[in-house]
Amino acid sequence: MTQEKLIYIFNHFDHASKYSSHKELASGHINDTFLIETKEEPFYILQRINHNVFKDVPGLILNKVLVSKHIKNKLSHLPEEALKRRVLTFIPAKHGEYYYRDEDGNFWNVMLYIKESVTHEIVTNKEVAYEGGKLSGDFLNLTSDFDASVLTEVIPKFHDMSFRFWQFDEALKNASEERKEKAKLYLDKVIELKEEMHILQNLKEFGEIKIRVTHNDTKISNALFDKDNKGLCIIDTDTVMPGIVHYDFGDAIRTICNTAAEDETNLDLVTFNVEFYEAYKKGFLEKVESALTSLEIKTLPLAAKTMIFIMALRFLTDFLNNDVYYKTKYPEHNLDRAKNQFKLIDSMVSQMDV
């Protein structure tokens, strides 16, 4: 991407700033993200939304804007500068929409850069886990009165357990005998856990758990902190859509509480960090407990187990499908990822009443 092209795109948005320089931010895996520095603050984040992954980009961007505006209204008692650090601020394009589509068909959006902020790729202490839990809980609490039905489902069936089992069954039908044999132990585990892993989806479908606004990608790197590691706000809201509280809680726990990398092959190193779990849960409930039902709270541990399982199932499915979805570095990479997640479940169950 040339400097001239970036300036051209940036100047299609309704700001009064003059471009000074830019640098690419490499934290995301899907979109292209640039920090735009200007002659005078504020600085901006310019982002290209990957329309090959997200099929309805205008709907996705509208989701982000509507949810941010709702949170801003809830926090309107804060001073303006403090408010800009607590919630993402999107800048409209000059034609009025919150995106610009370039001549190549790419969609771009712009938001204010939150200065003097930091992110964490992994959690190294319980204080960061606690602050991350507070941020996620606060996001859910502040949006608890937002009508989730107006949001676009940007990735249909993303956490739908029945759909993931259907994909698994189809992969199993077509898998080679060699791959089925290598995965046999884990194929048995899938069948063993099938009924339990549908509990939350059944509660959702029977209307016993409320459909809410959920973030759906609650890894710790999507939480923004100040220099003292106090939580500021949730970022990367591309996957905001209707869901249940368990998606956000469970996926955060899955990524925060694994003591090893997701593809660590030495399973002795893979354990479930209960201390981080308790710290995250404490912060989470401090912010959102009043907006949850007793059933939602009671089933939070099951949420963690379920979200770990759904990733194990997806890795295993891709292995059976000859690795067509996730990038792999060697033939059994996806199987190793699945083994890793199943070990995390075993570690969790051995330490907690789940």
Side-chain angles (χ1 to χ4, degrees):
M1 178 66 64
T2 65
Q3 177 177 308
E4 291 73 20
K5 180 74 177 288
L6 278 179
I7 295 172
Y8 176 77
I9 292 166
F10 178 60
N11 286 337
H12 274 81
F13 288 85
D14 191 15
H15 55 78
S17 301
K18 291 187 177 180
Y19 170 96
S20 177
S21 63
H22 76 270
K23 60 182 177 182
E24 186 167 5
L25 304 178
S27 60
H29 300 300
I30 296 174
N31 302 323
D32 296 325
T33 307
F34 302 89
L35 170 61
I36 304 294
E37 298 186 349
T38 53
K39 300 292 185 184
E40 295 181 358
E41 292 185 352
F43 295 165
Y44 300 86
I45 297 294
L46 172 65
Q47 187 175 57
R48 183 188 69 84
I49 306 294
N50 189 329
H51 59 274
N52 293 314
V53 173
F54 299 109
K55 303 305 181 184
D56 182 0
V57 178
L60 178 156
I61 292 172
L62 183 59
N63 283 359
K64 298 200 291 186
V65 171
L66 289 175
V67 168
S68 282
K69 285 185 174 181
H70 181 84
I71 294 174
K72 280 192 170 185
N73 286 336
K74 298 292 283 289
L75 298 177
S76 59
H77 59 282
L78 295 176
E80 185 177 356
E81 286 308 306
L83 185 59
K84 288 176 180 176
R85 293 175 67 75
R86 287 288 307 279
V87 59
L88 297 176
T89 300
F90 293 93
I91 307 300
K94 289 178 179 176
H95 62 66
E97 300 288 353
Y98 279 85
Y99 63 86
Y100 166 68
R101 192 172 192 185
D102 66 23
E103 58 271 23
D104 299 319
N106 295 308
F107 292 88
W108 298 82
N109 72 164
V110 168
M111 66 200 91
L112 291 182
Y113 172 67
I114 300 175
K115 64 179 182 178
E116 296 177 351
S117 59
V118 297
T119 58
H120 297 279
E121 290 300 316
I122 59 171
V123 172
T124 56
N125 61 68
K126 64 181 182 181
E127 287 72 29
V128 170
Y130 169 71
E131 287 291 325
K134 284 171 63 178
L135 280 179
S136 185
D138 202 33
F139 178 86
L140 289 164
N141 183 51
L142 290 168
T143 57
S144 62
D145 59 344
F146 186 100
D147 181 5
S149 68
V150 306
L151 298 178
T152 298
E153 191 175 7
V154 294
I155 309 177
K157 299 183 183 296
F158 189 42
H159 295 315
D160 187 298
M161 190 64 76
S162 296
F163 174 64
R164 295 304 181 186
F165 265 94
W166 176 84
Q167 289 182 314
F168 169 77
D169 289 339
E170 290 299 303
L172 192 58
K173 287 178 191 173
N174 299 309
S176 68
E177 290 302 319
E178 179 187 8
R179 291 212 168 201
K180 285 193 286 188
E181 183 59 34
K182 287 180 177 178
K184 185 178 187 310
L185 174 63
Y186 300 94
L187 303 182
D188 294 341
K189 284 180 177 288
V190 168
I191 302 306
E192 176 188 330
L193 289 168
K194 183 175 183 178
E195 187 174 344
E196 182 186 8
M197 293 297 98
H198 276 85
I199 290 174
L200 292 176
Q201 181 168 318
N202 291 339
L203 289 171
K204 173 190 170 188
E205 291 178 354
F206 295 151
E208 295 183 44
I209 291 178
K210 180 182 175 180
I211 305 297
R212 303 175 176 274
V213 175
T214 47
H215 184 281
N216 298 294
D217 189 13
T218 48
K219 57 180 180 282
I220 198 66
S221 59
N222 284 335
L224 209 59
F225 298 81
D226 68 15
K227 56 184 173 50
D228 297 318
N229 276 334
K230 298 300 181 184
L232 288 175
C233 76
I234 294 293
I235 60 172
D236 196 3
T237 51
D238 292 351
T239 52
V240 163
M241 55 184 164
I244 57 177
V245 63
H246 304 82
Y247 295 163
D248 281 4
F249 181 81
D251 199 39
I253 293 300
R254 183 187 78 82
T255 54
I256 287 169
C257 294
N258 193 339
T259 58
E262 196 173 63
D263 55 0
E264 174 60 60
T265 57
N266 181 355
L267 298 183
D268 290 338
L269 300 178
V270 178
T271 57
F272 185 86
N273 190 318
V274 176
E275 183 182 40
F276 288 0
Y277 172 87
E278 295 295 347
Y280 185 91
K281 183 180 178 183
K282 181 175 185 289
F284 183 82
L285 288 177
E286 278 182 18
K287 291 296 186 179
V288 77
E289 186 169 11
S290 62
L292 301 181
T293 66
S294 58
L295 178 60
E296 285 174 314
I297 295 168
K298 178 184 175 182
T299 47
L300 286 178
L302 177 61
K305 186 176 181 180
T306 301
M307 295 306 291
I308 299 169
F309 175 85
I310 207 166
M311 282 310 304
L313 185 64
R314 291 176 66 188
F315 287 140
L316 189 59
T317 298
D318 201 32
F319 175 73
L320 295 173
N321 273 334
N322 296 314
D323 312 311
V324 295
Y325 187 81
Y326 295 106
K327 291 180 181 178
T328 56
K329 296 178 180 177
Y330 55 91
E332 294 186 18
H333 198 174
N334 272 320
L335 181 58
D336 285 337
R337 288 165 169 154
K339 290 177 180 179
N340 183 297
Q341 298 296 291
F342 280 117
K343 173 61 191 304
L344 193 59
I345 290 174
D346 290 343
S347 178
M348 180 186 181
V349 170
S350 70
Q351 298 178 77
M352 298 173 57
D353 181 21
V354 185

